[in-house]
Amino acid sequence: MKNFWFLIITTSLLSLPYRSSSSTERFRLLDTGNGLFNNQVRFLTQMEDGKILVCTEGMFNVYNGNSFEPLVCDLTYTVPLGMHNICTSYDGGNGLLWAKDFYRLYLINTRTGRFCHDIKERFEAARLTEVFNDFILDHDRNAWIITESGKLYRYDWKNPAEQVYEPRAEEKSRGIRVKEVMQAGPFHLIFLNTGRMLVWEEKSRRIVGEDSTVATPSPSEYFRTAWLQADKEHLLISVSHTEGYLYLYNIYTREWKEILKGRAINDIKKCKDGCFWLGGNQTLIKLSPRFELLQETHRLELTGNETVTDFIMSVLVDDRQGLWLGLSSSGILRAVPPGKYMEYYINEEVAHEEGRMIRSLCPYDGRYLLVGTMGGIYLFDTARKNYQVWGIERSGFFNGREKWAKGFENQMV
């Protein structure tokens, strides 16, 4: 009976989602030593020509495959924005990339690698006289403009912008304002900085619903969202105010399903295999195509057996499915493909370097290696990555169990 319950418990544990406190990926750190303007990364994106564009505090940087080159902008050809807390970029089509940092909106021609000088003229048809506070581009490439007074406009680049929403006077006095607009099929979800959500319908051009599922009584200066269309029916929505939550939202039934709690997520990206990478405050999360937790990482491992912990502000999955992470103060991490890096482990059981010289090497079983050195013969544990004396004090060759593999002579352990 004991064996039966032992089997049941073991099977249950093995079926639980995999979790890790340190990353299963290895990363290469790219920072100011590689030409980055500074290590405060705001967002990452891949341009049409395949190059990686990085927005850091005060500068755009283009990665040429080896190092970063600055992409300097004349601020005359930008649109000022009010202070907000979401820095990102939007695909404008035809090689154009809209980008915003905390204070300004930029338009980049990725085919020429230059900033567009006609950015302000593109808003002339909108006939808006108010100062912009924020800018959002939806999947249909319509602009959503939040003005300094808190009004929300939709602009199709041809006709005058139409006002969609304006907070009531009482709400304005309390500091309530629009923070994000998410396109959800035939609807747009308008989030206020309290978490209250308005549903705007494209067909009727009006607000047709309201949702307070993630709402709080008071507005938050630090209210932040991250979202991604997961499939035809669902959005992955992260909401961070008093506490961080990740939800799966059904566009048509308007149902919410809590996926994670207690994580402040800053960015979400999807891979071709259907999995999702989520970057947050000192955490990297991987979800399965069914939104199950596969991995949660707090320490990001570098190729030199070091780790880094930081806020992940941006996640990028490039056209080769390579993973990039933009960190708030440490630079950029680029995942190294498996098999593209090597590790070394020093045999601390031997006091002198001469005694660490490998004379021969061969497998002992599925876990251990037999290592013959000038100081003796040792077992190397490939799981724990450590050495132990095998019980033979003399140095030299071992010819009993297996022949030693050749080609390792005079290599340091």
Side-chain angles (χ1 to χ4, degrees), residues 387-412:
Y387 296 84
Q388 55 185 289
V389 178
W390 195 53
I392 301 177
E393 297 182 357
R394 63 180 178 81
S395 62
F397 295 91
F398 178 71
N399 296 312
R401 182 180 176 87
E402 290 185 38
K403 292 182 179 179
W404 290 109
K406 295 182 178 181
F408 293 93
E409 290 85 355
N410 301 322
Q411 299 298 312
M412 195 76 71

Side-chain angles (χ1 to χ4, degrees), residues 141-211:
R141 293 175 180 150
N142 294 308
W144 293 74
I145 300 165
I146 305 169
T147 64
E148 193 173 40
S149 67
K151 296 177 182 178
L152 175 65
Y153 291 89
R154 178 181 180 275
Y155 177 43
D156 63 4
W157 306 103
K158 298 177 182 178
N159 304 300
E162 61 175 311
Q163 182 175 317
V164 173
Y165 175 75
E166 181 181 9
R168 298 187 300 269
E170 179 270 335
E171 292 177 321
K172 288 184 180 180
S173 66
R174 294 174 54 202
I176 297 175
R177 60 188 304 115
V178 175
K179 291 297 292 184
E180 179 66 284
V181 179
M182 306 176 186
Q183 187 167 358
F187 306 101
H188 283 74
L189 311 181
I190 303 169
F191 274 87
L192 308 183
N193 59 353
T194 59
R196 185 162 65 97
M197 184 185 79
L198 310 175
V199 182
W200 186 84
E201 186 181 49
E202 181 81 28
K203 184 177 180 180
S204 64
R205 290 286 202 277
R206 63 186 182 88
I207 294 174
V208 296
E210 184 175 321
D211 193 312

Side-chain angles (χ1 to χ4, degrees), residues 215-315:
T216 56
S218 304
S220 171
E221 181 182 354
Y222 303 103
F223 179 85
R224 184 182 178 93
T225 61
W227 68 283
L228 181 76
Q229 180 141 1
D231 54 40
K232 293 181 180 179
E233 297 182 359
H234 299 92
L235 301 183
L236 273 175
I237 301 177
S238 170
V239 178
S240 302
H241 36 72
T242 56
E243 192 172 7
Y245 295 86
L246 178 70
Y247 297 95
L248 186 66
Y249 177 77
N250 190 301
I251 296 171
Y252 300 100
T253 65
R254 301 183 187 175
E255 295 176 336
W256 298 78
K257 179 182 178 182
E258 184 180 301
I259 303 296
L260 296 172
K261 180 181 179 180
R263 283 83 157 180
I265 303 300
N266 300 317
D267 200 8
I268 307 172
K269 290 295 188 295
K270 187 176 183 179
C271 304
K272 287 184 178 180
D273 63 4
C275 291
F276 301 88
W277 285 108
L278 294 76
N281 295 353
Q282 298 184 340
T283 186
L284 175 66
I285 295 171
K286 187 175 185 179
L287 299 181
S288 74
R290 295 184 178 181
F291 314 107
E292 301 161 327
L293 181 61
L294 296 178
Q295 174 186 327
E296 184 168 10
T297 299
H298 304 294
R299 297 189 305 273
L300 303 167
E301 297 190 10
L302 306 182
T303 54
N305 290 323
E306 298 179 356
T307 62
V308 62
T309 301
D310 202 344
F311 286 18
I312 302 174
M313 306 308 298
S314 182
V315 178

Side-chain angles (χ1 to χ4, degrees), residues 18-32:
Y18 171 75
R19 301 188 183 200
S20 173
S21 61
S22 60
S23 59
T24 56
E25 284 71 30
R26 290 295 181 93
F27 295 91
R28 176 190 174 194
L29 179 63
L30 303 171
D31 54 18
T32 53

Side-chain angles (χ1 to χ4, degrees), residues 60-75:
F60 288 92
N61 310 257
V62 178
Y63 188 62
N64 60 19
N66 183 48
S67 60
F68 292 94
E69 300 172 353
L71 185 61
V72 182
C73 178
D74 184 341
L75 298 184

Side-chain angles (χ1 to χ4, degrees), residues 353-365:
E353 287 190 5
E354 182 179 350
R356 295 173 183 164
M357 301 293 287
I358 291 179
R359 301 299 297 170
S360 46
L361 182 71
C362 79
Y364 180 75
D365 57 23

Side-chain angles (χ1 to χ4, degrees), residues 363-376:
Y364 180 75
D365 57 23
R367 175 169 173 171
Y368 294 93
L369 295 176
L370 275 173
V371 183
T373 73
M374 294 295 291

